[in-house]
Amino acid sequence: MTTLTDNTLPVTPRAMRDEMIVFVVMALLLASVPFTGVYPFFVMQALCFALLACAFNLLIGYGGLLSFGHAMFLGTAGYCCAHALKVWALPPELGILVGIAAAFVLSLITGYISIRRQGIYFSMITLALSQLLYFIYLQAPFTHGEDGIQGIPQGHMFGVFDLSKPTVLYYVVLVGFLAGFLLIFRIINSPFGEVLKAIRENEPRAISLGYRTDQYKFLAFVLSGTLAGFAGALKVFVAQNASLTDVHWSMSGEVVLMTLVGGLGTIFGPVVGAFAIIAMQQYLAGFGQWVTVIQGSIFVVCVLTFRRGVIGEIAHYFRRSL
Amino acid sequence: MQALYAQLLVGLINGSFYALLSLGLAVIFGMLNIINFAHGALYMMGAFVAYFLLSLGGINYWWALLIAPVIVGIFGMILERTMLQWLTGLDHLYGLLLTFGIALIVQGVFQNYFGSSGLPYAIPDQLKGGMNLGFMFLPIYRGWVVVFSLVVCIATWFLIEKTRLGAYLRAATENPTLVRAFGVNVPRMITLTYGLGVGLAALAGVLSAPINQVRPLMGADLIIVVFAVVVIGGMGSIMGSIITGFALGVIEGLTKYFYPEASNTVVFVLMVLVLLVKPTGLTGRAA
């Protein structure tokens, strides 16, 4: 059976070097954004989603687990971070930590429940769990229901960086994104990541080699959920609100789409996919519901003809791992 | 007590929809190995076709009950022929993603033309009014929905478990190559099975049109509850999905009476509890 990510190539020292070069190019490009005329809020938003998609990709691309409920980590971290900033008046760095901690706890619980089933059952369970949370947040008092948490103070990061200045905020978000990205990069290329890939390729064989595959998948789930929470906490500073859209399951679908377009199981794919989808939403906003139709069509086209995604196709063409 | 019986009835009706939808999902899953994410959108299409038949063609509810599932079923078979069949041999998850995309397209198109608000569909004259059962007042249409879907569910179960056609179907799920060698046209059978499953969804849509309004997103949130029903019941048996569907509807209705705050979440909470005790679901086989 063809697995979801048969496009990934083995990592050799040469591949590692390629990946590092591409990373440096990407970092430089992103760092120069404030000097070009590009609207920084668009890039910041895309960076948050790129981090979310990378975290999601860690789970599906390397663990073979399609979570259809990753929005719950994004939304939970967002709500908790926003609540910490606004009601508890915590400084930004602690607010982010609160958001990450919330996503960590949530991923421990949901991971424990969902990791027992595989394949489509795993997807359906994660989807149902995120819908459960959606209804809880709809009714819980601290989320303010349909209104969401608004007017969140941005504050000074570490007491120094004034986050209400777009350029300062941009670099803080960029550093956050790059840190998260490097962490995922490190996880993928660690012995743990290798075992994860082995499980994806052939779980019975990994079990027969003595690996407790459930523990590896659980750890991957927790790492992925926590990093998705980091993206959610960063997003609070960019959007200055936390709302139900971030928890709704259609958001989980968008994350899947971003990763699929960029290339499942490629390191840079989710970043490219996130920028492509966010740009599409930005520029097609005037078309109303047709955006949904276009997104659906992209899903269909990707699954039928373009399963490797943008980066996957490029990597395949040059026979490099990207 | 009146309110309790009323909620029980609502629960039974929702249970009928859960059962019809999860039954269709089970039938499709059995043959195509695909979790049909588009099921909710096709359920919605069923309701819309009934609405069009009435408003444009003046064709009444009874004919819609027959025609809408056929039209949507044919639409489903076209989908299967043009798209889903190319996924044979690929990971199950691709089927989920493809049908998710199809659902987005279908819902998006309907939202463009009809907005998000609902269109009314009148209860047919023959089923208007109600009956006094002594302990409660039963609106006839609601009673009809429960009885009719029960009949359809049992008929589907009979078709698959007790007839020769069903035997071919089950054999083809186990070993398609061998069944093909006996001269059975397996690809055509797969297409027809998808049509059947989709038709069941559309039938549920027609049944629901007079109760809930006809809305583009009527299937979108329902399908996630149905997924939870499927996870709870497991997709092992046809009967399992029917019983789980009805039972969960009733439990949901009871929750609405005793603790309304939890009525949206009770199915998901049950799912968590069942998964903690029996990860394969109540009637499920190991996936």
Side-chain angles (χ1 to χ4, degrees):
Chain A
M1 177 176 292
T2 318
T3 56
L4 276 171
T5 47
D6 56 344
N7 52 339
T8 42
L9 294 162
V11 178
T12 58
R14 193 188 70 174
M16 276 285 270
R17 198 197 59 206
D18 292 346
E19 289 166 2
M20 286 316 290
I21 291 172
V22 176
F23 175 77
V24 171
V25 172
M26 177 181 77
L28 287 176
L29 274 176
L30 288 171
S32 62
V33 163
F35 307 104
T36 61
V38 185
Y39 187 49
F41 274 94
F42 159 71
V43 184
M44 276 191 263
Q45 211 194 353
L47 283 175
C48 294
F49 281 109
L51 182 55
L52 175 66
C54 286
F56 167 80
N57 184 44
L58 176 63
L59 195 57
I60 186 175
Y62 299 91
L65 293 164
L66 172 61
S67 157
F68 230 105
H70 249 54
M72 63 182 162
F73 304 116
L74 181 82
T76 301
Y79 273 131
C80 292
C81 176
H83 189 76
L85 294 174
K86 195 177 176 186
V87 180
W88 300 340
L90 291 183
E93 62 276 12
L94 288 183
I96 292 177
L97 279 181
V98 169
I100 293 176
F104 172 69
V105 173
L106 180 67
S107 58
L108 283 180
I109 300 168
T110 52
Y112 179 74
I113 297 165
S114 56
I115 216 77
R116 298 153 162 239
R117 299 301 304 272
Q118 292 165 358
I120 41 189
Y121 280 96
F122 174 81
S123 307
M124 291 197 289
I125 292 164
T126 46
L127 180 63
L129 287 172
S130 81
Q131 187 73 354
L132 170 66
L133 271 175
Y134 175 82
F135 280 120
I136 291 176
Y137 290 140
L138 185 65
Q139 291 171 346
F142 90 99
T143 58
H144 301 282
E146 308 266 351
D147 298 334
I149 305 179
Q150 293 174 344
I152 296 157
Q154 286 171 311
H156 288 67
M157 188 80 148
F158 303 116
V160 187
F161 303 112
D162 183 1
L163 295 184
S164 57
K165 289 184 182 150
T167 315
V168 177
L169 180 63
Y170 178 80
Y171 281 108
V172 168
V173 171
L174 178 60
V175 168
F177 164 76
L178 292 176
F181 186 90
L182 277 179
L183 182 60
I184 292 169
F185 187 74
R186 186 72 196 85
I187 293 170
I188 289 168
N189 290 313
S190 70
F192 168 75
E194 295 297 327
V195 177
L196 214 53
K197 284 177 228 171
I199 294 171
R200 181 194 68 201
E201 297 303 329
N202 193 336
E203 184 161 358
R205 188 176 293 171
I207 294 173
S208 76
L209 287 171
Y211 291 109
R212 298 193 174 173
T213 57
D214 275 355
Q215 292 180 1
Y216 279 89
K217 289 195 287 189
F218 179 63
L219 184 53
F221 189 90
V222 173
L223 284 168
S224 173
T226 311
L227 280 160
F230 183 33
L234 282 180
K235 192 171 168 295
V236 167
F237 294 93
V238 179
Q240 284 197 56
N241 67 34
S243 65
L244 281 171
T245 20
D246 288 353
V247 215
H248 196 253
W249 62 267
S250 52
M251 179 65 83
S252 303
E254 267 173 40
V255 179
V256 180
L257 181 60
M258 288 170 188
T259 316
L260 189 65
V261 167
L264 293 167
T266 60
I267 295 167
F268 296 95
V271 182
V272 173
F275 272 84
I277 299 297
I278 295 293
M280 194 192 85
Q281 287 173 348
Q282 182 95 0
Y283 293 110
L284 299 181
F287 287 93
Q289 285 303 328
W290 287 117
V291 177
T292 320
V293 180
I294 295 168
Q295 280 185 347
S297 313
I298 297 175
F299 253 110
V300 170
V301 170
C302 276
V303 172
L304 287 179
T305 61
F306 190 59
R307 279 187 284 275
R308 289 196 185 96
V310 176
I311 295 294
E313 291 289 350
I314 295 173
H316 186 75
Y317 182 78
F318 290 105
R319 301 200 54 72
R320 292 281 207 278
S321 135
L322 283 173
Chain B
M1 281 314 266
Q2 283 284 335
L4 174 63
Y5 288 129
Q7 289 303 345
L8 266 178
L9 182 62
V10 171
L12 269 178
I13 289 171
N14 284 336
S16 322
F17 298 139
Y18 298 161
L20 280 173
L21 291 176
S22 64
L23 178 62
L25 280 177
V27 169
I28 292 172
F29 184 69
M31 277 300 276
L32 287 84
N33 255 322
I34 279 174
I35 281 285
N36 190 25
F37 214 121
H39 221 63
L42 296 161
Y43 158 84
M44 175 269 288
M45 275 180 80
F48 264 98
V49 170
Y51 173 81
F52 291 140
L53 287 174
L54 187 68
S55 60
L56 302 179
I59 298 167
N60 68 18
Y61 173 83
W62 302 103
W63 283 107
L65 222 41
L66 189 70
I67 298 172
V70 171
I71 292 178
V72 180
I74 290 171
F75 176 73
M77 286 191 257
I78 295 171
L79 285 183
E80 201 279 329
R81 268 290 130 119
T82 51
M83 296 180 190
L84 288 168
Q85 66 154 334
W86 301 110
L87 299 182
T88 326
L90 295 178
D91 198 297
H92 301 332
L93 298 173
Y94 281 120
L96 184 79
L97 295 178
L98 180 69
T99 47
F100 178 65
I102 294 172
L104 286 183
I105 297 174
V106 172
Q107 278 163 10
V109 168
F110 277 88
Q111 267 187 297
N112 270 305
Y113 289 110
F114 302 98
S116 291
S117 54
L119 304 165
Y121 186 93
I123 294 178
D125 290 335
Q126 297 88 334
L127 297 175
K128 274 187 182 145
M131 245 189 303
N132 198 344
L133 297 180
F135 55 92
M136 72 174 291
F137 181 78
L138 174 75
I140 291 179
Y141 185 76
R142 293 176 183 241
W144 153 257
V145 169
V146 175
V147 174
F148 183 68
S149 25
L150 206 59
V151 170
V152 172
C153 284
I154 304 286
T156 314
W157 170 80
F158 187 81
L159 175 74
I160 290 171
E161 299 288 337
K162 299 288 169 201
T163 62
R164 181 173 288 267
L165 180 70
Y168 284 146
L169 216 74
R170 282 176 288 133
T173 334
E174 294 296 323
N175 194 337
T177 332
L178 192 65
V179 174
R180 252 180 132 150
F182 285 130
V184 178
N185 188 343
V186 173
R188 193 175 67 199
M189 221 155 82
I190 291 179
T191 310
L192 287 173
T193 309
Y194 191 73
L196 172 71
V198 166
L200 284 171
L203 186 70
V206 182
L207 283 175
S208 111
I211 300 180
N212 312 306
Q213 288 191 316
V214 182
R215 288 179 300 119
L217 291 180
M218 63 193 280
D221 288 331
L222 182 67
I223 189 71
I224 300 174
V225 183
V226 174
F227 280 177
V229 172
V230 166
V231 171
I232 294 172
M235 294 259 255
S237 74
I238 300 285
M239 204 35 119
S241 31
I242 300 173
I243 295 171
T244 323
F246 274 102
L248 285 167
V250 170
I251 292 174
E252 205 181 46
L254 288 177
T255 316
K256 214 171 262 172
Y257 178 73
F258 289 108
Y259 189 60
E261 289 82 2
S263 60
N264 281 329
T265 51
V266 65
V267 173
F268 303 114
V269 174
L270 273 175
M271 182 194 80
V272 170
L273 292 176
V274 168
L275 282 173
L276 290 176
V277 181
K278 196 165 180 292
T280 47
L282 295 176
T283 61
R285 51 188 179 192

